[in-house]
Amino acid sequence: MATANACMYCAKDQRLTDVMTEICELEASILYLFKEQTYPGRCVVAYKNAHKEEIFELSDAERELFTKDVARVAKAVKTAFNAGKINYGAYGDKMPHIHFHIVPKYEDKPKWGSTFDMQPDEKVYLTEEGYAEIANKIKANL
Ligand SMILES: [Zn+2]
């Protein structure tokens, strides 16, 4: 079991900022834009109130708030980028702090009809302006 300071979501250190950038805080989570943008609009919703590793560790009220955040983000991303489908990824074997990958999928684009690649071989990185533009589009639809 990870201790709090071993966890990048709790420490919010460079391990986190290397791979994602904060968009905003939500009721029970922090919304991050994933820097690798093979799937335009891909982001992460991370539980913010404590280091929790499984959704069954949350009370019903905590889980309801967190799930509301996930749904709200999924709707915003789908709307902002006209995605065909949102994929929800919650894995975290090595980084178990509760977080969901919100991954918009597009017909005729990578991995449609299959599981998204956590780290695609050919990575897509944007400029700071590019990230800001996507973050603003998501925020405008929250
Ligand atoms: Zn944590």
Side-chain angles (χ1 to χ4, degrees):
M1 191 163 144
T3 59
N5 60 5
C7 170
M8 73 175 190
Y9 288 103
C10 290
K12 296 192 178 78
D13 58 16
Q14 199 187 338
R15 290 171 297 166
L16 183 114
T17 56
D18 277 350
V19 291
M20 58 190 83
T21 177
E22 184 172 331
I23 297 177
C24 62
E25 275 198 42
L26 300 171
E27 273 190 279
S29 58
I30 298 178
L31 173 60
Y32 295 99
L33 185 64
F34 202 69
K35 288 189 177 173
E36 201 292 304
Q37 283 284 303
T38 291
Y39 310 98
R42 177 177 176 182
C43 49
V44 170
V45 177
Y47 189 66
K48 76 174 179 183
N49 294 324
H51 181 84
K52 297 287 173 113
E53 302 196 346
E54 306 289 352
I55 57 170
F56 58 73
E57 295 171 12
L58 303 179
S59 69
D60 287 352
E62 290 169 337
R63 189 168 46 251
E64 186 178 340
L65 286 178
F66 180 72
T67 307
K68 263 171 71 181
D69 288 349
V70 169
R72 186 176 169 204
V73 169
K75 185 180 181 186
V77 169
K78 190 168 188 186
T79 305
F81 298 95
N82 198 27
K85 180 71 181 79
I86 300 295
N87 286 185
Y88 306 83
Y91 307 102
D93 296 351
K94 294 180 179 172
M95 189 50 66
H97 186 118
I98 294 172
H99 66 285
F100 275 46
H101 293 267
I102 307 295
V103 184
K105 302 279 286 293
Y106 304 88
E107 264 187 273
D108 306 320
K109 292 279 172 62
K111 296 292 181 177
W112 178 254
S114 182
T115 310
F116 68 86
D117 287 325
M118 187 57 73
Q119 289 290 350
D121 292 336
E122 284 186 40
K123 296 182 174 47
V124 176
Y125 292 110
L126 310 177
T127 60
E128 290 306 314
E129 293 74 30
Y131 290 126
E133 197 179 310
I134 290 180
N136 287 334
K137 262 181 142 175
I138 293 170
K139 267 199 276 194
N141 286 278
L142 281 172

